[in-house]
Amino acid sequence: MSGETRCGFVAVLGAPNAGKSTLVNALVGSKVSIVSPRPQTTRTLVRGIAMYEAPDRTVQVIYVDTPGIHRPRQRFERAMVAAAWAGAADADAVMFVLDADEAAKCLEKTGNPLDADSESIVAEITKSGRQALLVLNKIDLVHPSALLETTARLNAGSAFSETFMVSALTGDGLNRVKERLMAMMPASPFMFPPDDVSDMPNRLLAAEITREKLFMALRQELPYACAVETESWEDKKDGSVRIGQVIYVSRESHRPIVLGEGGRQIKAIGAAARAELSKLLGCPVHLFLHVKVNERWREDRGLYAAWGLDFNA
Ligand SMILES: Nc1nc2c(ncn2[C@@H]2O[C@H](COP(=O)(O)OP(=O)(O)OP(=O)(O)O)[C@@H](O)[C@H]2O)c(=O)[nH]1
Ligand SMILES: [Mg+2]
């Protein structure tokens, strides 16, 4: 480590599915937040910690990945959106992530690159008197001329101090973002041990990995009816770990769908989660999943507390 020490928080905001979690994972350089092709994958604040070095400074950037901001319809969604805005409140920088492909399509269809969700996020940022870094993500999907037109339209507004074009998937453009953030972070001692990549407790991390596999495996509305809780965690003498988890579903009729024919579906979900967890924890994992019907998991204060969500948001 060299020179001056800097440290700060960077809030990563945007509509559902913009690629915020993929971006945070890429900027941290390891997987700290789960990703799926479906909107509303992230449900809590996930802090990913990166260390960047320059000749004259070492910078710890704490990325705060947030749930996609949308118009909430029920308590659980309200808590997710409130958490996202809370993540931005004390941040040293705010990144607004926009799916460039969607923005270009939206511009063509409506004359405005921002859809209703993104438009209201930008309005809120403007109202707060802050300026955000605009991060146009997924540029690997967009034709350069459509990208230029979209960017020109967005820069006409005053919400953004600068624009970055990136692909979180390919890594394109990320160095510029890192360099800019290194300059923006305030002089400060590090807030986390330099080797940490996340502050998420292992029990929650394990539950998130299983939830990611559920999101990948299940169709239609079913992922949204599910929650995962780690019930037991036992470090064994042989260096392995035994993890017991409950998958909550909202209705009895969901149970056979999650289990699959002859239990094949849940077995595959468990195998995928176990493989990833073994890699992340660096030891053999024995993972035991069982499905419980709990119509009211969205009304369970204890679960909100475990996820760091405000029940009364
Ligand atoms: N082609 C392409 N796909 C991307 C890129 N970044 C993210 N994706 C995909 O976009 C989808 C959503 O990614 P996430 O990172 O889960 O998006 P998010 O903004 O965190 O979504 P929520 O947590 O639901 O708000 C996934 O299928 C990603 O693989 C990118 O740069 N290019
Ligand atoms: Mg996410």
Side-chain angles (χ1 to χ4, degrees):
M1 258 174 267
S2 51
E4 183 191 14
T5 301
R6 292 180 176 227
C7 178
F9 289 87
V10 177
V12 182
L13 298 184
N17 219 37
K20 300 176 294 298
S21 301
T22 310
L23 179 67
V24 167
N25 291 338
L27 289 167
V28 168
S30 88
K31 179 161 163 184
V32 293
S33 194
I34 65 168
V35 166
S36 91
R38 293 161 168 281
Q40 296 178 38
T41 301
T42 306
R43 291 179 173 174
T44 60
L45 296 186
V46 177
R47 276 169 285 267
I49 305 159
M51 298 291 294
Y52 300 141
E53 294 243 14
D56 64 336
R57 69 188 64 160
T58 307
V59 186
Q60 182 171 63
V61 179
I62 304 146
Y63 294 99
V64 185
D65 185 19
T66 65
I69 296 173
H70 58 283
R71 235 162 300 159
R73 286 164 303 177
Q74 30 127 315
R75 180 193 295 278
F76 186 56
E77 292 177 352
R78 218 161 40 238
M80 282 164 56
V81 171
W85 285 117
D90 314 314
D92 299 285
V94 173
M95 297 201 299
F96 171 69
V97 183
L98 189 62
D99 180 329
D101 186 40
E102 288 297 324
K105 285 181 188 146
C106 195
L107 176 62
E108 205 177 291
K109 220 176 347 180
T110 68
N112 181 353
L114 299 173
D115 65 8
D117 280 340
S118 291
E119 188 75 81
S120 70
I121 303 169
V122 172
E124 197 65 32
I125 292 172
T126 311
K127 210 167 81 190
S128 75
R130 304 188 67 156
Q131 278 201 316
L133 306 176
L134 170 62
V135 180
L136 278 163
N137 187 34
K138 309 195 189 182
I139 58 166
D140 55 292
L141 299 177
V142 197
H143 194 274
S145 64
L147 187 60
L148 280 180
E149 209 181 315
T150 306
T151 316
R153 279 297 299 270
L154 288 165
N155 286 339
S158 61
F160 310 117
S161 56
E162 37 197 314
T163 303
F164 299 86
M165 299 186 203
V166 309
S167 167
L169 208 61
T170 66
D172 214 13
L174 296 185
N175 277 342
R176 265 195 66 222
V177 176
K178 290 182 193 172
E179 273 161 27
R180 187 65 189 104
L181 293 174
M182 282 175 83
M184 285 176 83
M185 294 299 105
S188 154
F190 302 143
M191 280 177 254
F192 290 94
D195 290 335
D196 286 7
V197 290
S198 165
D199 69 341
M200 189 178 278
N202 276 344
R203 292 173 78 104
L204 185 54
L205 173 77
E208 285 289 275
I209 299 289
T210 301
R211 196 164 63 78
E212 182 184 71
K213 306 313 170 203
L214 278 167
F215 262 60
M216 304 300 270
L218 301 175
R219 306 267 161 260
Q220 290 162 358
E221 290 302 303
L222 205 55
Y224 304 104
C226 291
V228 181
E229 192 182 19
T230 303
E231 269 196 329
S232 63
W233 185 291
E234 204 185 324
D235 293 304
K236 301 287 219 184
K237 280 201 201 81
D238 64 4
S240 67
V241 49
R242 184 194 191 284
I243 302 170
Q245 292 180 334
V246 188
I247 297 171
Y248 293 110
V249 293
S250 309
R251 273 192 241 132
E252 192 55 56
S253 60
H254 294 153
R255 190 202 300 270
I257 310 176
V258 174
L259 294 176
E261 228 181 296
R264 269 196 287 275
Q265 168 106 292
I266 195 154
K267 221 167 144 187
I269 290 168
R274 190 183 57 74
E276 188 163 333
L277 271 170
S278 305
K279 215 163 68 188
L280 279 171
L281 299 171
C283 68
V285 170
H286 311 282
L287 180 63
F288 296 86
L289 299 177
H290 70 264
V291 180
K292 258 191 207 168
V293 179
N294 178 351
E295 279 162 39
R296 296 180 59 79
W297 69 258
R298 281 195 186 75
E299 297 299 322
D300 182 335
R301 284 174 187 272
L303 288 175
Y304 281 65
W307 295 326
L309 292 177
D310 178 2
F311 186 76
N312 294 313

